[in-house]
Amino acid sequence: MQKVGFIGLGNMGKGMAQNLSKNNIQISGFDVDKTVFNNLKDNKIKQEKSLETLVKNNEVLITMLPDGPIVKNVWEQLINHSDQDNILIDCSTIDVETSMYVQKLANSEGIKTLDAPVSGGVMGADSGTLTFMVGGNFDTYSSCKYLFDIMGKNSILCGENGAGQSAKICNNMLLASTMIAVGESFNLAKNLGLNLEKLFEVLSTSSGSCWAINNYCPYKGIGPDSPADKNYDGGFATSLMNKDLSLAISAAKSTDTKVNYALQSQHSYAKLVADGHGNLDFSCIVEKL
Ligand code: NAD
């Protein structure tokens, strides 16, 4: 049986680890928040006491952590305990610079690495339909593809190390603005007296259709199940979207790229965080426009 160590079993990691476990991969998990293990439906996932024992017992190690500083800290420990048989895969969304730094550090010890951030949200993680944007060499990607195929429905090798993170911030920069545009469209429809279910039927099958409407409609009771149906509990935290916009904007500055919509979007998400809504799903922005 294949063995994988999984670090960070939060909103996303929980579903990803459980899908691997369901598909005959033996999973050991590690998380600083021990309560995450109580939320697992799968009792085959073993709780590991330290990163050291996690590395000792597993060849492949996957991290799904909140941000760059945490990934740097965890990877430095993983690298200390790893040898050339280990493969480290980071699925978190972090800045390209930190991603390249930790991967170079690992590669210099002969440890193989991939950056493989994801798209598809908590529903995608739970249902095994994520898209993985992968950075790394072809051989390492090919040897790990079976894991991406279990946790997702697409994996795209975007280029060398760091290319996955570059693709991810471009995707989320677009999603941040799209969600606001969806909110404006629904608000106009409401003020025009339109039935919002009918609007969903039209938009989801017309030229305005997009993932934020079709898969993640931000209005309660409209479209497929989404965080809006749980009062924006769980899902993709507004604070994480704000973080991703910061990563995109800083990458845009360093490459002299104009990103006017992203700048305006970040203003709105940062205000939501400052007003104490950082833990709610980012789609709650439609209620605050
Ligand atoms: P989360 O906060 O729910 O989960 C992160 C987990 O990491 C938590 O359980 C936390 O306890 C654990 N953790 C924190 N520090 C740790 C450490 N030092 N060692 C071990 N465990 C530690 O976050 P999430 O929503 O699951 O997101 C994880 C990553 O995935 C983020 O980088 C996010 O940007 C990205 N992402 C999230 C979504 C989404 O819809 N939630 C979608 C795509 C990508």
Side-chain angles (χ1 to χ4, degrees):
M1 195 187 232
Q2 294 278 356
K3 289 159 89 185
V4 169
F6 205 106
I7 302 135
L9 293 103
N11 287 328
M12 295 293 290
K14 183 175 49 155
M16 294 162 74
Q18 289 185 133
N19 280 327
L20 291 173
S21 175
K22 258 193 263 165
N23 282 275
N24 285 329
I25 310 281
Q26 192 180 312
I27 301 291
S28 318
F30 179 84
D31 198 298
V32 284
D33 177 1
K34 304 301 170 212
T35 65
V36 298
F37 291 92
N38 307 331
N39 301 332
L40 297 177
K41 288 184 205 117
D42 186 332
N43 57 17
K44 287 192 303 232
I45 295 179
K46 187 175 146 212
Q47 182 179 343
E48 205 67 66
K49 287 199 179 63
S50 71
L51 288 175
E52 187 174 358
T53 54
L54 190 80
V55 176
K56 207 185 279 173
N57 295 332
N58 297 282
E59 188 187 335
V60 178
L61 298 146
I62 299 179
T63 45
M64 193 52 172
L65 296 164
D67 58 31
I70 295 176
V71 169
K72 181 169 178 281
N73 177 281
V74 168
W75 268 55
E76 283 172 345
Q77 296 178 62
L78 293 176
I79 291 165
N80 260 337
H81 301 303
S82 295
D83 60 31
Q84 299 188 353
D85 291 333
N86 289 113
I87 302 180
L88 307 189
I89 307 174
D90 183 35
C91 293
S92 331
T93 306
I94 65 167
D95 57 292
V96 179
E97 210 176 302
T98 303
S99 180
M100 302 277 283
Y101 166 79
V102 290
Q103 293 190 80
K104 271 196 189 135
L105 191 65
N107 297 159
S108 70
E109 302 284 330
I111 303 159
K112 297 184 193 77
T113 64
L114 294 172
D115 47 296
V118 304
S119 176
V122 174
M123 281 106 70
D126 289 344
S127 59
T129 57
L130 293 169
T131 291
F132 287 84
M133 304 155 214
V134 187
N137 78 44
F138 180 76
D139 289 345
T140 310
Y141 166 71
S142 302
S143 69
C144 297
K145 189 170 176 297
Y146 71 102
L147 297 171
F148 301 135
D149 289 345
I150 292 172
M151 296 184 284
K153 67 173 174 3
N154 295 301
S155 68
I156 299 143
L157 181 61
C158 301
E160 293 300 322
N161 290 140
Q165 294 295 352
S166 296
K168 173 64 186 174
I169 54 173
C170 294
N171 179 76
N172 276 26
M173 182 176 82
L174 176 60
L175 173 62
S177 298
T178 314
M179 190 56 84
I180 292 175
V182 167
E184 289 182 357
S185 175
F186 272 79
N187 283 348
L188 176 61
K190 209 173 355 177
N191 293 342
L192 289 169
L194 265 179
N195 176 318
L196 295 188
E197 281 180 27
K198 290 292 160 200
L199 180 73
F200 173 82
E201 269 185 58
V202 170
L203 293 184
S204 59
T205 54
S206 300
S207 48
S209 99
C210 61
W211 186 88
I213 293 174
N214 296 21
N215 299 54
Y216 213 88
C217 188
Y219 291 90
K220 195 174 181 167
I222 297 178
D225 258 3
S226 70
D229 299 308
K230 297 177 202 130
N231 292 321
Y232 306 107
D233 190 26
F236 181 41
T238 301
S239 59
L240 290 180
M241 177 54 98
N242 193 40
K243 170 203 74 171
D244 290 359
L245 275 168
S246 301
L247 299 180
I249 289 165
S250 114
K253 277 191 190 136
S254 70
T255 52
D256 207 12
T257 312
K258 271 195 192 148
V259 288
N260 294 333
Y261 287 115
L263 288 166
Q264 282 185 39
S265 299
Q266 197 188 23
H267 183 72
S268 307
Y269 288 103
K271 184 168 183 319
L272 262 185
V273 174
D275 289 347
H277 304 301
N279 285 335
L280 295 181
D281 181 77
F282 80 108
S283 65
C284 74
I285 193 126
V286 301
E287 291 199 345
K288 313 285 176 193
L289 295 171

